[in-house]
Amino acid sequence: MNVLLDGFAAVLTPENLLFAIIGVTVGTLVGVLPGIGPALTIALLLPLTFNLDSPTGALIMFAGIYAGAMYGGSTTSILLNTPGESASVATSIEGYQMARRGRARAALATAAIGSFVAGTISTVLLSLLAAPMARFAVMFRAADYFALAVLAMVAVTALVGRSMVRGLLSLTLGLFLGLVGIDSLTGQARFTFGSVNLLDGVNIVVVIVGLFAIGETLYLASRPHDVPSTVAPLEPARGFAWLTRDDWRRSWRPWLRGTALGFPFGALPSGGAELPTFLSYTYEAKRSKHRDEFGSGAIEGVAGPEAANNASFSGVLVPLLTLGIPTSATAAVMLAAFQIFNVQPGPDLFDEGARWCGR
């Protein structure tokens, strides 16, 4: 307990709080822009850490960038149907429909509050359950990851809609795109058709922009007469934080359920944030009392995935801090930041933490 209190004392200084504000602000802006992810941003800012005496401020800023990017993608998902990050794809399904109905305020509010709730709870869980979660993560074997992949495929198939054929076709197309490139185990080129440009595979950013941003643009351009002459006006701001009493009642449970899904999946290697967000959306769509609203702007479809998205961020830090294993590109860059200060994440990190936190 004394070590935890010393950690709060080290973090809650004006200098480190300023680093946190800068990181969250930059991360939110990065999350809004498709193609510029938190990993690239942290990598570009790594040289700035060379002049710092302590890694605490730099790591706080990098964590803020990661957390801010997880939330920032929801803004364009809701307003433009263009996810800034792959983990925000599930949010765009219901969030954009809410914006079209004039409920953009409520969608943005439930995304922001859900991100805060999930981030706070998952950070507390990270402090208390890091070691047990790390031991649980390393217990997963090939059969467990296969079962996890099957679960993801079933969730995607059930997500698309009432048509099972459409779901299976979407799943097949996604698997095909994922197989393009060099096999990580055998080194063989798959489905490259002799093109050198396809050896690295199909970039997820290209897929997202093509399916959502360009797809939405072409859809509207092909139907100029169907576009309304006026934009749907925003509903009057009602209730606390733009959410009515009914919105709060329908959102708080998805926030907690999304947190419960996002944190453990984030701790698993290759778990990521995409799988728990889609699982959260699928669960809310199947169990909600307002299932008839899904597809036309159900607030549960925004609250749950956004909570799962942000909770997975803290989950990613579990294997990074306790085992020294990065489970995402951003975690790998953060590992490099640790090593710049001669700090090696792993089982001994917490025992040696007092030395480099400034004590």
Side-chain angles (χ1 to χ4, degrees):
M1 181 59 70
N2 291 334
V3 175
L4 186 60
L5 293 178
D6 290 338
F8 279 110
V11 170
L12 297 177
T13 61
E15 179 182 359
N16 289 334
L17 288 177
L18 179 61
F19 277 117
I21 293 173
I22 293 173
V24 172
T25 303
V26 172
T28 303
L29 295 176
V30 166
V32 170
L33 300 174
I36 307 178
L40 176 60
T41 305
I42 294 175
L44 292 175
L45 293 177
L46 275 180
L48 298 180
T49 64
F50 295 152
N51 298 325
L52 298 178
D53 297 329
S54 171
T56 307
L59 296 176
I60 288 175
M61 181 176 66
F62 292 157
I65 291 173
Y66 199 175
M70 291 292 100
Y71 162 70
S74 65
T75 303
T76 50
S77 296
I78 293 170
L79 299 180
L80 302 175
N81 198 26
T82 305
E85 295 292 328
S86 58
S88 301
V89 172
T91 304
S92 66
I93 300 174
E94 299 299 328
Y96 182 63
Q97 295 301 324
M98 289 184 67
R100 292 186 63 183
R101 290 167 45 193
R103 303 212 64 212
R105 286 195 184 103
L108 292 171
T110 193
I113 298 173
S115 299
F116 173 77
V117 170
T120 303
I121 295 176
S122 60
T123 301
V124 173
L125 293 176
L126 172 65
S127 303
L128 300 177
L129 303 177
M133 284 295 299
R135 289 194 294 267
F136 173 74
V138 297
M139 290 171 59
F140 266 61
R141 297 295 182 263
D144 303 306
Y145 284 114
F146 176 77
L148 189 65
V150 172
L151 177 62
M153 294 177 187
V154 173
V156 171
T157 305
L159 172 71
V160 174
R162 297 182 178 88
S163 174
M164 184 65 69
V165 175
R166 187 189 308 173
L168 291 173
L169 288 176
S170 300
L171 175 62
T172 303
L173 177 60
L175 289 175
F176 171 74
L177 293 177
L179 290 174
V180 175
I182 296 178
D183 184 86
S184 58
L185 297 178
T186 65
Q188 298 294 319
R190 301 178 303 192
F191 303 112
T192 59
F193 305 104
S195 174
V196 178
N197 296 325
L198 292 177
L199 290 177
D200 290 334
V202 180
N203 194 307
I204 185 63
V205 175
V206 176
V207 176
I208 292 175
V209 173
L211 288 178
F212 289 89
I214 297 179
E216 185 73 13
T217 302
L218 295 177
Y219 177 83
L220 294 176
S222 64
R223 293 168 173 79
H225 300 293
D226 296 339
V227 179
S229 57
T230 58
V231 179
L234 289 174
E235 289 185 351
R238 296 176 295 176
F240 176 70
W242 294 342
L243 295 176
T244 63
R245 180 176 298 180
D246 184 61
D247 291 335
W248 282 97
R249 180 181 59 81
R250 294 174 57 179
S251 295
W252 72 270
R253 288 186 181 88
W255 291 337
L256 298 180
R257 287 192 290 261
T259 303
L261 283 172
F263 183 75
F265 273 98
L268 293 175
S270 303
E274 294 80 6
L275 178 56
T277 56
F278 279 106
L279 288 178
S280 175
Y281 179 86
T282 304
Y283 181 86
E284 300 300 334
K286 298 299 182 183
R287 299 297 298 273
S288 174
K289 297 179 180 178
H290 306 273
R291 279 178 283 183
D292 56 319
E293 294 187 17
F294 276 81
S296 59
I299 195 169
E300 296 92 340
V302 178
E306 273 304 298
N309 178 9
N310 284 267
S312 65
F313 152 71
S314 296
V316 167
L317 297 182
V318 171
L320 174 65
L321 297 178
T322 60
L323 301 175
I325 300 175
T327 59
S328 68
T330 306
V333 179
M334 292 182 69
L335 177 61
F338 274 98
Q339 294 172 343
I340 288 176
F341 292 94
N342 295 321
V343 176
Q344 182 59 47
D348 298 331
L349 175 65
F350 297 98
D351 295 333
E352 300 177 358
R355 176 177 58 82
W356 57 268
C357 278
R359 287 186 60 190

